[in-house]
Amino acid sequence: MLPVLDNDHLRTLVAIAETGSFTRAADIVHKTQSAVSMQIRKLEERLGREIFGKEGRAAKLTPDGEKLLDYAYRMLRLNDEVISAFRGDKLTGSVKLGVPDDYAERYLPEIMARFTASNPGIEVAVVCEPTPALVENMQACEIDLAIITHSKQRDIGEIIREEKLLWVSSQRHCVHEARPLPLALGRDTCAWRRSAVARLEARAVPHRVLYTSWNSSAVGAAVLSGLAVGVLPESAIRPGMRVLTEHEGFDPLPTVKIALLRNAKRHDHVIDALADHIIQSLDNLSLERAAATRLQAAE
């Protein structure tokens, strides 16, 4: 007979993964640090795999641990969903969601419309800030969930969507041929900006940043007006924009990874319900976009 995983052990796993510390996780799950360590050892014994490795003082998940964490989120959500279904509970409460401006514009209208329709008893407060500010807000426990841009330097959160990052210019202008190349990009801490500049420097392309903004809609406006070349994720491409390729001297950019960040100190059905809805909505958006692409190809 296969071993049975204990949901209590899985909740401890999630707490450690989200805080990066056995000590802080012990406070969250209301157990001693030795009890937390014992729960992880039991998980490792039942699976026959190492879950955590040491990286300095931080508790770092192994590849097997990352795989288990994904299952743990789903198993715990399903457990809570089953309990709520049999109790006949109607979810009520509030949740504070953080999201960058550009994601809010592209994703929030559909997400919030459907969530509010199915959960009228839940109040959602939305905070719009750039990803670095949202991470700080989460660390200060000022928000419950955040949709953020994932990066190697900021390896946190559960990746829930991935799409292409593209060079774009205006269809009505030839600004991409200008030298130095005028650019519309995020601030100097932006990972997209660093990637774009690195590609241009590798080709020794003279360039200058003409326009700077955290907001992709503002960058898009500068692109559409023919003022500059920008970099935008695939979902932000608008009519009138032209995608630039290697043939025109623009090397491929890394993909955009979008992650969902949770408050490690607050777990309840309301937050889980919104988190599940966000993940499902972005999955559906990917499917709808793929279907539209296939339809255009068929035509």
Side-chain angles (χ1 to χ4, degrees), residues 53-66:
K54 280 293 184 180
E55 189 171 293
R57 293 186 176 182
K60 185 72 173 178
L61 284 167
T62 64
D64 286 324
E66 293 282 0

Side-chain angles (χ1 to χ4, degrees), residues 195-246:
S195 296
V197 170
R199 298 301 192 277
L200 294 174
E201 289 178 346
R203 278 185 175 255
V205 176
H207 58 275
R208 63 190 180 103
V209 178
L210 184 68
Y211 187 88
T212 301
S213 176
W214 277 115
N215 190 294
S216 66
S217 295
V219 170
V223 168
L224 284 171
S225 67
L227 289 176
V229 168
V231 293
L232 293 173
E234 190 175 20
S235 61
I237 303 301
R238 292 155 55 183
M241 289 184 181
R242 172 184 177 182
V243 176
L244 302 170
T245 65
E246 285 184 89

Side-chain angles (χ1 to χ4, degrees), residues 42-63:
K42 287 182 178 179
L43 275 176
E44 291 178 330
E45 289 170 1
R46 290 177 182 178
L47 294 171
R49 302 292 179 88
E50 186 179 13
I51 298 173
F52 284 100
K54 280 293 184 180
E55 189 171 293
R57 293 186 176 182
K60 185 72 173 178
L61 284 167
T62 64

Side-chain angles (χ1 to χ4, degrees), residues 133-192:
L134 292 177
V135 172
E136 291 179 3
N137 289 345
M138 185 66 74
Q139 292 170 343
C141 293
E142 295 174 355
I143 53 179
D144 302 309
L145 287 170
I147 302 174
I148 64 170
T149 300
H150 182 275
S151 67
K152 290 182 179 179
Q153 294 79 19
R154 188 172 46 245
D155 187 14
I156 53 176
E158 175 187 1
I159 297 174
I160 57 176
R161 180 175 171 79
E162 188 169 353
E163 59 183 88
K164 295 177 181 177
L165 185 63
L166 302 169
W167 294 98
V168 290
S169 67
S170 168
Q171 288 181 345
R172 298 184 295 108
H173 302 84
C174 296
V175 66
H176 63 284
E177 297 176 355
R179 295 295 182 272
L181 180 71
L183 298 171
L185 300 171
R187 297 182 187 177
D188 53 9
T189 55
C190 174
W192 302 355

Side-chain angles (χ1 to χ4, degrees), residues 28 32 41 51 109 113 117 119 128 137 159 178 187 229 239 274 294:
I28 292 170
T32 63
R41 281 199 299 273
I51 298 173
N119 297 277
C128 290
N137 289 345
I159 297 174
R187 297 182 187 177
V229 168
L274 180 56
R294 287 195 298 271

